[in-house]
Amino acid sequence: MARRSASFPLGILGRYKIILLLIFAVALFHIGFVYLFKTPSHLKARRPEDVTSFSDVRVPVGYNESSLPVRAAFATVVRNSDLHELRAAIRQLEDRFNNRYHYPYVFLSDEPFTDEFKEAVAWTAKSKVSFGLIPRDHWELPSWIDRQKMRDGMAYLTSKEVIHSESINYRQMTRYYSGFFYKHPLLANYEYYWRIEHDTEYTCDIPYDPFLYMKERGIHYGYTISLHEFEDTVKSLWGVVQDYLKTRPTALQPQNTMDWVTNNGGQSYNLCHFWTNFEVVNLGLLRSPQYEDFFQHVDKAGGIFYERWGDAPIRSIAMTMFLRKEQVHWFEDIGYSHSAFQNCPSDPEVQMRCHCNPSSSIHRNDFSCTRQWNQLPASY
């Protein structure tokens, strides 16, 4: 009997093999195309349109935040491009102080942090690190800001060669520091915060805990550097402060320190302010109804965008209205350098743990206001 031909079923199987191979080839081509042309994750910086709040918290194995002496954290507003300067500042803080305490860090930005940024910072910090996205309504220009008036103000400051004269981002940042950062959920459980910046240097060992030092003594505000502000950037700020005090005569602390910011009984602003790129603050004060009321009054005046009012003069004026002298502390023994200015201790014993030149410390210069602060009478 003749054998049945097997050519027919084998032909069908061959066709299936060809189809499967074609599908596999198309899939490989698609995957390759996507990976070839997609933007690498470490370069992505665009914020998703539907995102208003985002956080990523990384906790080292065995880390116990509840064991810290104070519910406190380092915090900053920073961007992906600041990574390597930020790592240098963190490394110094760790070496000079935090390797003995392990206080956590909170990093906030108006753009999503890249994986590269988060991994590098987490590796450097050695303690709990949190990364948060700033809510849009806390960052973007308010709808009530007159854009043309803002542009005119920018042009004026540019003619005066004032730094950050045309930067909208700088104004957004100072507004955020003035009245919003402490409202971020990542800071909700903290009592004190220490502001850090990416382009700073810590030049002395810190053998004690500044957070605990402040808490035990009832200190609400700590600083290292004070300066005079550029007058062109705050021309109308004092008038807004005067309006605030006229409508709220009971807002002032009876033993206030406003003589530090005015030399003539409140008629004008002498431009003194604490340099807020270093500040250690009791967050309860910033969250208080009195500070919120003051910020809202100042914010609605629009000078942050029209003139470039900084968070430093705004915060400093508020501190002098609401705090007694003993509630503010000059950390004379913390070596700190930022931009062209530094605070460098002159005490010989403290100098043994520093690498800065005390003769170059800004408090020795007339541009500083620390001497005037020290001359204020005690309130008790």
Side-chain angles (χ1 to χ4, degrees):
M1 186 170 66
R3 179 185 295 178
R4 180 176 296 180
S5 172
S7 62
F8 179 71
L10 285 176
I12 294 176
L13 182 60
R15 291 172 190 167
Y16 276 117
K17 285 182 178 179
I18 293 172
I19 292 172
L20 289 172
L21 285 172
L22 286 172
I23 293 173
F24 183 67
V26 170
L28 283 177
F29 176 79
H30 176 73
I31 293 171
F33 182 85
V34 169
Y35 276 87
L36 180 63
F37 292 100
K38 80 169 188 175
T39 303
S41 61
H42 70 280
L43 295 179
K44 289 183 178 178
R46 290 187 300 170
R47 177 180 182 146
E49 290 302 315
D50 59 342
V51 172
T52 57
S53 181
F54 171 80
S55 65
D56 181 6
V57 180
R58 303 189 179 193
V59 184
V61 175
Y63 184 78
N64 183 11
E65 190 171 11
S66 63
S67 66
L68 293 173
V70 183
R71 288 188 295 110
F74 300 103
T76 186
V77 175
V78 69
R79 284 184 164 175
N80 293 303
S81 57
D82 302 321
L83 172 60
H84 298 295
E85 285 185 321
L86 178 65
R87 287 181 62 201
I90 294 172
R91 181 73 272 156
Q92 291 180 30
L93 266 176
E94 291 292 305
D95 292 344
R96 295 294 196 179
F97 165 69
N98 202 41
N99 62 345
R100 301 187 305 279
Y101 295 94
H102 304 294
Y103 281 105
Y105 294 80
V106 176
F107 304 99
L108 304 175
S109 182
D110 65 313
E111 63 183 27
F113 288 113
T114 64
D115 289 338
E116 178 193 11
F117 183 98
K118 291 185 285 188
E119 289 167 5
V121 167
W123 181 85
T124 307
K126 305 299 184 183
S127 61
K128 176 183 173 183
V129 292
S130 303
F131 305 92
L133 196 61
I134 296 172
R136 288 186 182 280
D137 59 339
H138 289 181
W139 187 263
E140 294 184 346
L141 268 69
S143 59
W144 40 266
I145 288 295
D146 183 329
R147 269 54 172 179
Q148 185 57 53
K149 185 176 179 180
M150 180 180 69
R151 287 190 288 269
D152 291 342
M154 289 177 172
Y156 171 77
L157 292 180
T158 299
S159 71
K160 296 291 185 177
E161 299 183 344
V162 174
I163 189 172
H164 305 305
S165 61
E166 295 187 332
S167 174
I168 294 178
N169 179 72
Y170 182 84
R171 289 163 169 81
Q172 290 170 309
M173 181 188 67
T174 59
R175 180 174 183 255
Y176 185 70
Y177 269 126
S178 296
F180 295 100
F181 82 92
Y182 47 85
K183 300 172 185 176
H184 198 284
L186 288 176
L187 286 166
N189 294 324
Y190 297 117
E191 184 180 3
Y192 284 82
Y193 111 105
W194 179 333
R195 177 170 164 180
I196 61 173
E197 294 287 343
H198 61 280
D199 52 350
T200 57
E201 184 178 7
Y202 292 84
T203 57
C204 299
D205 291 339
I206 306 171
Y208 64 97
D209 184 347
F211 290 125
L212 188 61
Y213 181 91
M214 290 179 63
K215 184 172 183 179
E216 290 179 339
R217 291 162 178 77
I219 299 170
H220 295 310
Y221 193 84
Y223 75 99
T224 55
I225 292 175
S226 69
L227 301 170
H228 286 88
E229 183 59 287
F230 296 112
E231 184 174 6
D232 286 316
T233 67
V234 289
K235 280 192 169 183
S236 64
L237 175 58
W238 193 251
V240 173
V241 173
Q242 289 177 314
D243 290 341
Y244 174 82
L245 293 175
K246 286 177 183 177
T247 57
R248 298 161 179 81
T250 61
L252 274 180
Q253 151 69 238
Q255 296 173 307
N256 65 79
T257 52
M258 287 197 73
D259 283 344
W260 186 62
V261 292
T262 177
N263 300 331
N264 49 23
Q267 295 180 42
S268 62
Y269 179 32
N270 65 14
L271 308 178
C272 283
H273 65 279
F274 305 119
W275 222 22
T276 50
N277 45 71
F278 175 102
E279 62 177 4
V280 187
V281 189
N282 183 333
L283 290 169
L285 175 62
L286 301 184
R287 294 168 180 147
S288 68
Q290 60 183 357
Y291 183 85
E292 178 66 19
D293 183 48
F294 175 69
F295 168 72
Q296 290 296 334
H297 180 85
V298 169
D299 189 40
K300 292 299 182 184
I304 293 175
F305 294 98
Y306 301 146
E307 292 184 2
R308 209 219 69 179
W309 298 347
D311 54 284
I314 293 172
R315 177 102 77 248
S316 300
I317 291 171
M319 296 302 101
T320 64
M321 290 194 298
F322 304 139
L323 297 180
R324 305 187 305 275
K325 184 183 180 183
E326 62 270 18
Q327 292 176 309
V328 178
H329 179 68
W330 173 35
F331 281 108
E332 181 181 5
D333 58 344
I334 293 182
Y336 175 78
S337 177
H338 175 66
S339 187
F341 304 114
Q342 68 168 322
N343 182 70
C344 183
S346 57
D347 184 284
E349 291 188 10
V350 178
Q351 264 293 312
M352 293 176 66
R353 50 183 169 84
C354 300
H355 71 270
C356 58
N357 183 353
S359 64
S360 300
S361 185
I362 185 63
H363 76 276
R364 297 172 178 268
N365 192 301
D366 289 340
F367 194 53
S368 169
C369 295
T370 297
R371 186 183 301 111
Q372 294 92 312
W373 176 265
N374 291 337
Q375 291 171 350
L376 290 176
S379 57
Y380 45 71

